Amino acid sequence: MLAALRVRDIGHVFRLVRQYAGMSQTAIGSATGLSQGKVSEIMKGGVQVTRLDVFERIAGGLGMPDAARTALGLAPDFSDTPPSGHPVGASPDDLSGQEPPASTGAMAQQLSLGGLTSATTPPIVAGLRRILTAQIEAEAMMGPRLLIRGVHGQVPIIERICQVAKGADRAEALDIGSEFLEFFGWLHQDSGNFLEAMIWTNKALDYAMEAGDQHVISYILMRKSNIAAESGDHAHGLGLANAALSKSSVLTPRLRAVVLRARANAHAHLGELGRFTEDSETALAEATAGINQEETDRAPYCTPSYIEMEAGASWVLLGRASQALPMFEDSRSRWADPGQVRDRALCLARLATAHAVADHPEQACQATDDAIALTHVLGSGRVLSQLKALRRCLSRWSNHHDVADSIARLDIVTSASQSSPSTPEGTWWTTC
């Protein structure tokens, strides 16, 4: 193996993995983000791997120890920056896909998946639900950065369960599969990787469509709408939100609220003030009704405070920062869940930006300090992008002592992130 690594003969490496670890071409592909056909071509010598990023992907996916990485010409794996991953079974024909998860147990995990059968899925699904609940709670407090590797490592288990589950157990498998992959898509979205976010969210929608649960289908269509809008495709975001509302009468109040919020955001980006206002008001009413709803859904976070925060951002986008300020302040005062750290930080960063746009530098600095205090524990690219926008808005008062101090603190926080997303063109903060 070391001899093959030193000459970077990946075909030989894959043949040795198959021979001595028992991994099939499909399993190798799943671990390394390559299609089975591409793995076959590499093993036959028809394709030579020459790109450094692909070597990194293979080393991470197979869990190579540092000695093997060094033989391959790579640095030891001491980085804690999470890769974006690549969907299992994808076919990056040019071998230039995203980095895979650097899971040290990837090879062992792939070997164990063959033991999953229809009979073993119910207890595993129950365990995965507990894990996912804990991960969702953790993400709300710490953001995506520290979670994305671990979640990616569980994706092959999810996909295997959805392959083998039968009968009554299949509905449960599809439900956990759609929720798990939708959450993984969200982690990528909050990290600023919209391509990967849409890939995984599409896979989640496939599972939801097979299960036929309209609540879940509408929720995932809403998530696709958000991704499209954040990536700059606002017309597509509007169309997806309309699709999510096509059967609104069967949805819970919270689900209607969160979808209406997505549609209002698309209307705001498209400059459609009347439709934005109507959707925002209806979304707030639905979220208020959702406080007392008994039926569970996937939008427990959709509170009136959440709707107000999102509507405030859209009002600034529409050039009405003064109208947004009371909404942000009200949203800030009504946060009841101390676990929603990321959303609170985002609300404060948006409040500070709105104050800056409205020529209130002192209030902007106060909200900036509060946002920074929360951001230190986060890995959210969305919050960091908002803070970068805030920094640009505050630069008009850089000679002011308090503003200069806030700018310096913002520089420290934003420069500490090595993977925050770029700001899409056309968003409201570019006017600052």
Side-chain angles (χ1 to χ4, degrees):
M1 177 63 81
L2 288 174
L5 290 169
R6 290 189 183 103
V7 298
R8 291 187 163 182
D9 186 351
I10 299 301
H12 193 188
V13 170
F14 284 174
R15 291 192 295 272
L16 290 170
V17 169
R18 181 181 62 182
Q19 181 177 354
Y20 293 103
M23 291 181 73
S24 66
Q25 292 179 356
T26 299
I28 293 172
S30 295
T32 60
L34 302 171
S35 66
Q36 180 274 327
K38 190 62 63 178
V39 171
S40 177
E41 292 178 17
I42 293 172
M43 292 177 71
K44 293 177 180 177
V47 172
Q48 298 295 323
V49 179
T50 59
R51 292 179 51 167
L52 181 61
D53 59 328
V54 181
F55 288 128
E56 285 280 2
R57 191 162 79 227
I58 292 169
L62 295 179
M64 290 185 185
D66 287 347
R69 292 178 60 89
T70 301
L72 190 55
L74 303 176
D77 186 21
F78 46 75
S79 170
D80 62 355
T81 302
S84 63
H86 206 281
V88 176
S91 303
D93 290 337
D94 62 352
L95 301 181
S96 60
Q98 302 290 330
E99 266 187 280
S103 170
T104 56
M107 187 180 296
Q109 183 188 69
Q110 293 296 330
L111 290 173
S112 68
L113 292 182
L116 293 179
T117 66
S118 180
T120 62
T121 55
I124 296 175
V125 167
L128 286 170
R129 285 200 181 281
R130 291 191 293 270
I131 292 171
L132 181 58
T133 298
Q135 288 169 333
I136 292 173
E137 292 175 353
E139 190 275 335
M141 292 186 288
M142 67 177 65
R145 183 173 301 150
L146 299 180
L147 293 174
I148 199 166
R149 282 181 182 271
V151 175
H152 196 297
Q154 293 154 2
V155 168
I157 302 174
I158 293 291
E159 296 209 331
R160 178 61 178 167
I161 286 173
C162 290
Q163 289 174 357
V164 303
K166 299 177 181 178
D169 295 332
R170 184 158 185 80
E172 284 294 314
L174 292 171
D175 185 64
I176 187 64
S178 66
E179 187 172 9
F180 208 100
L181 295 189
E182 179 271 314
F183 175 65
F184 192 42
W186 162 248
L187 293 180
H188 282 295
Q189 181 184 350
D190 198 28
S191 298
N193 190 335
F194 301 128
L195 176 61
E196 290 287 313
M198 191 64 86
I199 287 172
W200 290 107
T201 309
N202 281 336
K203 190 66 177 285
L205 183 60
D206 288 343
Y207 289 151
M209 292 292 289
E210 181 183 345
D213 187 328
Q214 187 59 48
H215 284 191
V216 177
I217 291 170
S218 290
Y219 183 79
I220 296 177
L221 283 170
M222 178 276 299
R223 293 285 303 110
K224 283 168 58 67
S225 173
N226 285 346
I227 297 167
E230 283 197 33
S231 64
D233 193 351
H234 308 303
H236 188 42
L238 177 59
L240 288 166
N242 283 330
L245 285 168
S246 63
K247 297 182 179 179
S248 63
S249 62
V250 304
L251 304 181
T252 64
R254 281 196 306 245
L255 285 175
R256 282 194 293 270
V258 77
V259 179
L260 284 165
R261 196 257 355 137
R263 191 168 73 175
N265 177 60
H267 282 311
H269 276 285
L270 294 170
E272 299 169 349
L273 176 60
R275 292 179 178 177
F276 158 74
T277 303
E278 181 182 356
D279 278 351
S280 292
E281 292 175 351
T282 307
L284 183 59
E286 292 284 3
T288 302
I291 294 174
N292 298 317
Q293 76 176 50
E294 296 181 359
E295 188 175 358
T296 59
D297 55 36
R298 293 194 182 178
Y301 60 86
C302 189
T303 62
S305 296
Y306 172 81
I307 294 297
E308 286 189 318
M309 178 185 71
E310 294 296 325
S314 295
W315 277 117
V316 181
L317 166 66
L318 290 164
R320 302 191 181 188
S322 59
Q323 192 159 346
L325 286 171
M327 303 187 77
F328 282 132
E329 291 288 4
D330 188 53
S331 176
R332 177 187 188 181
S333 67
R334 292 168 63 178
W335 284 110
D337 186 353
Q340 295 291 331
V341 176
R342 193 256 332 290
D343 282 351
R344 288 169 58 209
L346 185 59
C347 179
L348 288 166
R350 287 174 170 175
L351 170 63
T353 309
H355 274 303
V357 174
D359 295 328
H360 304 155
E362 294 183 0
Q363 295 93 323
C365 287
Q366 181 178 354
T368 297
D369 293 343
D370 292 340
I372 289 175
L374 293 175
T375 304
H376 282 299
V377 299
L378 293 172
S380 170
R382 298 170 75 238
V383 175
L384 287 165
S385 285
Q386 187 66 56
L387 292 177
K388 288 180 179 180
L390 170 59
R391 196 254 189 244
R392 292 193 294 273
C393 292
L394 289 173
S395 63
R396 290 182 292 165
W397 301 283
S398 58
N399 292 330
H400 188 289
H401 179 269
D402 290 340
V403 174
D405 182 63
S406 292
I407 289 175
R409 296 182 65 194
L410 284 170
D411 287 340
I412 293 172
V413 171
T414 56
S415 64
S417 172
Q418 298 178 355
S419 60
S420 59
S422 60
T423 303
E425 294 183 1
T427 45
W428 60 267
W429 49 80
T430 59
T431 63
C432 295

